[in-house]
Amino acid sequence: MTWVWEHLGDIGGYAVSHALLAGIPLLVGLALALPLGWLARRFPRVAPVIVGGSGLLYTIPSLALFILMPLLLGSRILDSINVYVAMTIYTVALLVRSVVDALGSVPEATALAATSMGYRRVGRALAVELPLAVPVLASGLRVAAVSNVSIVSVASLIGYPQLGYYLTDGYQRSFPLEIGVGIVACVLLALVFDLAIRGVEWLLTPWARARAEVSAA
């Protein structure tokens, strides 16, 4: 355990780097997946293309995509933009279907009531359907967050500094403690993301809180 205390600062630095590499693409991917999912829900004929096409992106091996990014972006092999773009692609691949399912979970009667009150399609989606879809969407977002934390660690194989470094370096040095530190740190970071998403969901769904309070009473 002495090794852990001696390297605590480095572990914290790698954790911050890992969180940024996983978290920023999660937010950007969500911003891209929302309109794509809405389009797939709005136009059923193109839904198979949007949902199926985005799902195929997730089948690309992560290491291959990290290596391919510099060729596509014209960046250097160790530029962090490569990881950000690759992770955004994976996030979109996971979240498009989640957005479609989340919007589909909104009762049709609620959508019709909003329309009768004067909401147009886009306004209804933003003001009514999206808030009601938060619980289902948050579930998909939690899966994507954990997936991002896991996939980012693969980038250590080509030199990106983050918690995955302890997995590769520990393996090369036959140092189980270092490998264990990398695993535990990744799990803890995934838990932090999960709790953060749960917290945002709790803030955005006051009706769920009220229902829980009534049930408890």
Side-chain angles (χ1 to χ4, degrees), residues 62-149:
S62 55
L63 184 58
L65 190 57
F66 289 142
I67 294 174
L68 187 61
M69 280 295 104
L71 301 178
L72 298 177
L73 301 176
S75 55
R76 294 175 298 177
I77 187 66
L78 293 181
D79 285 346
S80 59
I81 187 64
N82 301 321
V83 180
Y84 284 120
V85 173
M87 295 310 304
T88 299
I89 290 173
Y90 283 128
T91 301
V92 171
L94 282 176
L95 288 184
V96 167
R97 181 175 290 277
S98 295
V99 173
V100 174
D101 292 341
L103 294 176
S105 69
V106 178
E108 185 65 23
T110 302
L112 292 175
T115 300
S116 66
M117 292 174 63
Y119 283 99
R120 297 183 181 274
R121 292 189 184 274
V122 176
R124 187 183 70 187
L126 294 175
V128 179
E129 295 176 353
L130 189 57
L132 292 176
V134 165
V136 177
L137 183 58
S139 297
L141 199 61
R142 287 164 56 202
V143 172
V146 173
S147 175
N148 280 12
V149 171

Side-chain angles (χ1 to χ4, degrees), residues 155-199:
S156 63
L157 293 173
I158 50 179
Y160 293 104
Q162 27 77 21
L163 292 174
Y165 164 80
Y166 293 113
L167 304 178
T168 56
D169 189 66
Y171 176 78
Q172 293 171 353
R173 298 169 55 195
S174 299
F175 190 10
L177 177 59
E178 187 175 9
I179 297 174
V181 167
I183 293 173
V184 171
C186 286
V187 171
L188 291 176
L189 183 59
L191 287 174
V192 169
F193 272 99
D194 188 81
L195 290 173
I197 294 170
R198 285 178 179 270

